[in-house]
Amino acid sequence: MSDKQADPDMKGWLYKWTNYLKGYQKRWFVLSNGLLSYYRSQAEMLHTCRGTISLHGAVIHTEDSCNFVISNGGTQTFHLKASSEVERQKWVTALELAKAKAIRQLESEDEDEEDVSESGRDDVSNTLKVLTAKLEDLRTCHDLIMKHGAALQKSLAELEALDSTQDLTAKIKTVNERATLFRISSNAMINACNDYVDVSGTAGRKWQRLLQHERDQRLRLEDMVEQLARQHSHLEQEAKEQMNQAMPPGHSHSEDEEENEFEDAVEELAENFIVHVNTSQAHRRSNSNVSQLSDEMASLNGSQATTPTDGIVAQANGRPKRQRRIRVPDKPNYPINLWSIMKNCIGKELSKIPMPVNFSEPLSFLQRLTEDFEYSDILDRAVQIEDSCEQLSLVAAFTVSSYATTAVRTAKPFNPLLGETYECDRTDDLGWRALNEQVSHHPPIVAQYVEGTSGWHSWQEFSMSSKFRGKYLQIIPLGIAHLKFLASGNHYTWRKVSTTVHNMIVGKLWLDNHGEMEIVNHKTGDKCCLKFIPYSYFSREIPKKVTGYVVDSEGTFKWFITGTWDEKIEACRVTSQSMRAGKPVYETGPPKVLWKRNPIVPDSEKYYNFTKLACQLNEPEENVSPTDSRHRPDQRLMEEGMWDEANAEKLRLEEKQRATRRRREAEAEQAAAEGREYPPYCPTWFVKETDDVTGALIFRFTHEYWDCKEKQEWSRCPDIF
């Protein structure tokens, strides 16, 4: 039985669903301060918490007489069962009350900090409504004064024109009545004016206080961030001194090394402040810059920046594989005035902050998205599988593999320009080729189409929304990914999970992928449900854990999946199912490794933690489209280590794209004034249409790019660099 401590806090025994092997297990639950925590026993409350879910924003719903579910947006879900219906109702009532209390507390905490942004806007709106009403009263009084004043003047004129004294008494009475009405209207006008002055004066003083509060908040925030920056620099200096003391005798620490280490510390702190900035806009290309950069890249052979390449290996069709590099130049140590950037960021939207290339890696997001196919061999194996559920387990492993590089890659890629493209033709060695294009600017959308030579095609539209919470940045991917196997006709779709970047201001940046993913086979009805378990300091789960299962169209379990998104994924086939004590029990075969991450390249931390594939994505290549990311000058300069020149080129491109946007806006306004339609922007290699499977609007690949490349016909490409 439960024991209520204080309304709405509560504690007691409940049964919690653990997994399909163990079913429901008895746990001790404690509801306090808007959090529901559970333990294996009451004694564990002193030292170990097994899990906690926040009720703010959670959904609480009942399933039957004893079961109920608590979910907070997909990241956590508790399936619970009480001993009786009465007990369940007590818990549900207490949870709803605790949820309401948590929401009220959060709102009250936010009031002082967000007077202007939230309640301030409501106050302004309400005040404007009151002032509008008072102004309408003034207009009404004005109309009455004009009306009664005119009537009074008319009566006075009639009184003066009166020749006899017969109607004198009646006329004087009329004048008195109309004078009284005029006096009443005048008094009403005076009162309305006083009310308007009082309301406007009160509102003005309140707005002045709010404005002053906002100024004080900004100053406090500036002081806090400056103090944090100084503390971080001091800690870095102390760490450096400790390292110097620990150095073996005879090792000299030159002034150049000290300067480089200091610059590293400042740069790392700068990168710890902001990771994602969404500023993709339309640009134009400078042919002279591109040719100059290509010549400079060609001249790097034999220098320190020379990038090693793979050897030439003969391909089955007689054509040799292309000789590709296996690394990029080392990341230089450039000093950056962190505080000058951070101070200018306060109070601004992330997408409005001009960020230098120091916070980026020398790849565009188009190239970063291509890295999803680093482990395309999984799809080549899946093509050979006839069992649709087993094939689905491999597709699930492929979706997880795309997150492997995020464990160590925290720098942001370059935001693509509108119309920017990236082709990656790896049919000679990896067996696939891809084309990406930035098809929309507001909102930013990337369209991708990939075709494998073994018999699979994949396409997706990628967009995202971001929520900056001060200490962390949450990135929520939008859009649907498609994968189709041509021989079987199996067509899979899924949505990517969310990513959270932690330690945005102070500390080492790290990323966590979390949420639930459902992969559906639209031909057979098979489904795979994956759960990326979010990191929790109190959880006993291994970090970066992924669990899931595959069911057929009838809901029968076929495979269980487990692993981590940064290391490997394993799966076990369900061999039999039985019921024991009213609970389902599954017997599985031995685990089979579906995917394992490639070993990390030694010294890769010196060049942005790039994998071998990432190093090859921006390698110069002939005959690609003039809008290809390889031609982007600021990105190429950054890769070559010329960051000052890259920042100057970035500013030039940004100013140029602003001019392009202003020109299009002016043309649109002129067309609207002339009553003619202004054509919207259209992608070069994709067309917008409705998807037959999902019913959503998608960008379909026209399959014209590779023909144009063969003919070197690029007349349709916009001039963006």
Side-chain angles (χ1 to χ4, degrees), residues 154-204:
K154 181 179 178 182
S155 298
L156 290 173
E158 292 176 351
L159 183 62
E160 292 177 354
L162 191 64
D163 295 334
S164 62
T165 60
Q166 297 177 355
D167 299 328
L168 181 62
T169 303
K171 291 295 182 181
I172 293 176
K173 182 178 181 182
T174 301
V175 169
N176 289 334
E177 291 175 351
R178 293 181 176 178
T180 301
L181 292 174
F182 183 79
R183 184 176 65 254
I184 293 174
S185 300
S186 301
N187 290 334
M189 183 69 168
I190 294 172
N191 294 332
C193 291
N194 291 332
D195 291 343
Y196 189 88
V197 171
D198 292 340
V199 172
S200 59
T202 302

Side-chain angles (χ1 to χ4, degrees), residues 201-253:
T202 302
R205 289 189 295 272
K206 183 176 182 180
W207 291 343
Q208 287 178 349
R209 289 196 302 271
L210 291 175
L211 181 59
Q212 186 60 41
H213 172 75
E214 197 67 19
R215 290 172 178 167
D216 295 341
Q217 287 289 91
R218 178 186 175 91
L219 292 175
R220 282 196 295 268
L221 185 56
E222 288 181 356
D223 293 339
M224 181 191 71
V225 176
E226 185 175 14
Q227 184 179 4
L228 288 173
R230 290 173 178 171
Q231 289 176 355
H232 192 94
S233 179
H234 178 68
L235 290 174
E236 290 284 349
Q237 185 67 26
E238 288 185 349
K240 183 181 66 176
E241 293 175 357
Q242 292 293 333
M243 291 177 60
N244 293 340
Q245 295 176 3
M247 284 183 181
H251 180 86
S252 61
H253 203 70

Side-chain angles (χ1 to χ4, degrees), residues 454-510:
S454 61
W456 55 266
H457 288 182
S458 178
W459 62 96
Q460 66 172 315
E461 293 79 41
F462 186 90
S463 183
M464 62 184 174
S465 64
S466 60
K467 298 178 180 178
F468 182 50
R469 304 299 190 186
K471 293 183 179 180
Y472 65 90
L473 173 70
Q474 187 174 16
I475 302 170
I476 305 171
L478 307 175
I480 302 176
H482 295 253
L483 174 65
K484 186 174 183 179
F485 293 97
L486 304 183
S488 63
N490 290 333
H491 187 160
Y492 302 93
T493 62
W494 66 89
R495 294 179 183 270
K496 295 189 174 185
V497 298
S498 300
T499 299
T500 300
V501 186
H502 296 271
N503 293 343
M504 294 296 294
I505 296 181
V506 176
K508 184 176 179 59
L509 283 178
W510 62 278

Side-chain angles (χ1 to χ4, degrees), residues 672-685:
E674 297 174 357
R676 55 185 176 87
E677 184 177 357
Y678 185 75
Y681 176 82
C682 294
T684 307
W685 309 109

Side-chain angles (χ1 to χ4, degrees), residues 25 162 165 257 291 396 432 442 450 471 481 594 671 710:
Q25 297 293 318
L162 191 64
T165 60
E257 290 177 340
S291 61
W432 53 267
H442 289 300
V450 187
K471 293 183 179 180
L594 302 183
E710 184 177 355

